[in-house]
Amino acid sequence: MIRMISFRALPAWLLLVSAGLASPAIARPASAVAKMHDEASLIAAEDARFAAQVHRDFAAIEAGLGDELVYSHATGRRQTRAEYLGALRSGGADYRRIDPSQRSSRVYGDIGVTRAVLAMQVGERTMLSSVLGVYVWRDARWQLVSWQTTPLPGA
C-alpha cells in the first residue's frame, strides 16, 4: 500500500529544500543572513548602481545587473540587459544626476523590492519618475532583474 504524504504536514523549509529552491542561507543563523542582505544593503546597492550610472562605471553597472534583466523606461520602452548596457555605452542614456526620495525597500528571502521617486537629469532632459526595482541576492551581491519607471507630472 502506498501512503500519500500531505504537503501541509511538512514544514515549509523542508519543502523548499526538497524542491531545490532553498537558499544556502537557511543553514546560517538568521542574524548572519540579515547582515548579509538586509534592506539597508539593498538601498546601498541601488545607490551604488545610481552612482555607477552617473560616473559611467560599466564594470560596476554590469556586476549589479542580472542576466535576465528587463528594464522598462518611462516611455514604455523595454530593454534586455544587453540592450540596456548597449544604450549606456553608446551615450543613449547619459545620466548626469539621479536623486532618489520617498524610498522604501523590502527583503523577502533572496528577493528585494525597492520603490522611490527619482529626480533625474538624462542628457539635457530633467525627469521626475516613480520607480520600482526587483533585485535578487546572488553571488554575494544584489542584482537588478526588473526595473519599472513611471513618469510623474511636475518635471
Side-chain angles (χ1 to χ4, degrees), residues 60-88:
I61 295 168
E62 286 184 30
L65 302 180
D67 290 338
E68 66 272 57
L69 174 68
V70 175
Y71 198 102
S72 300
H73 296 270
T75 61
R77 182 175 181 206
R78 293 177 53 172
Q79 293 179 310
T80 64
R81 180 182 194 269
E83 291 167 338
Y84 180 67
L85 288 169
L88 290 175

Side-chain angles (χ1 to χ4, degrees), residues 1-12:
M1 178 175 172
I2 298 175
R3 183 175 166 166
M4 299 298 287
I5 298 174
S6 169
F7 287 113
R8 288 187 208 152
L10 296 174

Side-chain angles (χ1 to χ4, degrees), residues 74-142:
T75 61
R77 182 175 181 206
R78 293 177 53 172
Q79 293 179 310
T80 64
R81 180 182 194 269
E83 291 167 338
Y84 180 67
L85 288 169
L88 290 175
R89 283 193 173 94
S90 72
D94 179 20
Y95 292 95
R96 297 183 183 179
R97 180 178 55 86
I98 303 174
D99 296 323
S101 65
Q102 301 179 38
R103 296 178 93 173
S104 66
S105 66
R106 295 277 193 184
V107 173
Y108 306 96
D110 288 341
I111 305 297
V113 178
T114 62
R115 293 176 190 261
V117 170
L118 298 184
M120 298 182 289
Q121 183 175 353
V122 183
E124 298 302 318
R125 189 171 156 202
T126 300
M127 295 180 280
L128 187 64
S129 300
S130 175
V131 295
L132 174 70
V134 179
Y135 293 78
V136 174
W137 179 262
R138 67 166 72 111
D139 300 328
R141 68 181 181 269
W142 287 110

